[in-house]
């Protein structure tokens, strides 16, 4: 009978043709097929692989070889140390979005009872990270997609019950005038027709969570235009965007009257988030 170690090596070889992350992917899929965490594999590589588990692994590996994102195959992705449920109805949270969380935390003092909105919350990743770090903040996640909001609701129930409120709606629309202190969003910002949309995980993700119109900035402009009326004077807007969009997003925020506009870089040093506050 094949051991876990041998099955892992074989699966990694199978995935290596298409995926740079083949070894890691194989570990995540095998652990999932076993109903264990990845750490389990290190101490148990000599354990025999049960036939049923082997069949589950083969099915998962075949789908991965066909390009499906690992996060969708296992229904999970970690973000800001939170174990989030994700489905093909939500964007897969990405490490670079931790820059948005870190930037927002700088605008939300630890003991302040601020009202914070995460627009287009998807799986709830950013809203939950902010709620986790700022127990006194009142965090609302807004999402247009019913499929995504169901996933966000499950994540809120499991990870931070009653700490994040969810509203179905379009960007800032659910909010009354001057009702928010901080608005954050990771909106769709990839330009329509960008080959990136057809590659890797993106090809399987909801298009409406990724594609931001002809120049990628359609959602960013809408949010920048509508947020000032909902923000209290001095309130901050933080928007994630593509690495080449910093100058255009700064210009957009300046045009709509935001002050102290500046761009934050992600851990790789790329422009990633632009912020500004209303006067
Ligand atoms: N950073 C994502 C990507 O490059 C895009 C996410 C988004 O559009 N919000 O795939």
């Amino acid at each position: 009978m094949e051991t876990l170690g041998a099955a892992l090596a074989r699966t990694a070889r199978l995935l290596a043709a298409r995926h740079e992350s083949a070894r890691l992917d194989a570990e995540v899929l095998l652990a999932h097929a076993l109903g264990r965490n990845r750490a389990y594999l290190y101490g148990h590589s000599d354990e025999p692989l049960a036939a049923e588990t082997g069949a589950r692994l083969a099915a998962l590996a075949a789908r991965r070889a066909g390009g499906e994102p690992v996060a969708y195959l296992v229904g999970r992705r970690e973000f800001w140390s939170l174990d989030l449920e994700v489905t093909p109805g939500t964007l897969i949270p990405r490490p670079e979005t931790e820059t948005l969380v870190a930037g927002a935390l700088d605008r939300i003092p630890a003991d302040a009872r601020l009202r914070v909105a995460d627009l287009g919350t998807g799986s709830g990743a950013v809203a939950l990270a902010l709620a986790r770090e700022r127990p006194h903040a009142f965090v609302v996640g807004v999402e247009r997609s019913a499929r995504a909001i169901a996933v966000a609701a499950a994540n809120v129930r499991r990870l931070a019950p009653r700490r994040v409120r969810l509203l179905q709606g379009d960007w800032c629309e659910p909010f009354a005038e001057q009702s928010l202190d901080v608005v954050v969003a990771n909106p769709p910002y990839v330009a329509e027709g960008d080959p990136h949309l057809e590659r890797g995980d993106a090809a399987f993700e909801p298009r409406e969570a990724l594609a931001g119109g002809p120049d990628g900035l359609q959602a960013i402009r809408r949010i920048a235009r509508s947020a000032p009326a909902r923000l209290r004077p001095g309130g901050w807007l933080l928007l994630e965007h593509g690495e080449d969009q910093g100058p255009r997003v700064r210009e957009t925020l300046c045009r709509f009257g935001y002050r102290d506009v500046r761009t934050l870089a992600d851990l790789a040093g790329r422009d990633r988030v632009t912020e500004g506050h209303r006067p």
Side-chain angles (χ1 to χ4, degrees), residues 162-234:
R162 291 177 301 280
R163 286 294 341 281
V164 173
R165 192 162 160 227
L166 294 169
L167 295 175
Q168 194 168 1
D170 234 1
W171 308 130
C172 284
E173 269 160 29
F175 298 103
E177 271 194 31
Q178 299 201 14
S179 60
L180 295 168
D181 297 288
V182 176
V183 171
V184 306
N186 172 19
Y189 53 72
V190 181
E192 216 95 60
D194 186 324
H196 177 80
L197 292 170
E198 313 303 333
R199 285 197 209 119
D201 286 2
F204 291 83
E205 293 179 295
R207 195 45 70 95
E208 64 176 36
L210 286 170
D215 64 352
L217 295 172
Q218 208 164 281
I220 284 178
R221 278 189 296 268
R222 279 196 56 195
I223 294 168
R225 185 187 319 119
S226 58
R230 273 77 176 191
L231 281 167
R232 296 207 180 111

Side-chain angles (χ1 to χ4, degrees), residues 140 200 228:
V140 184

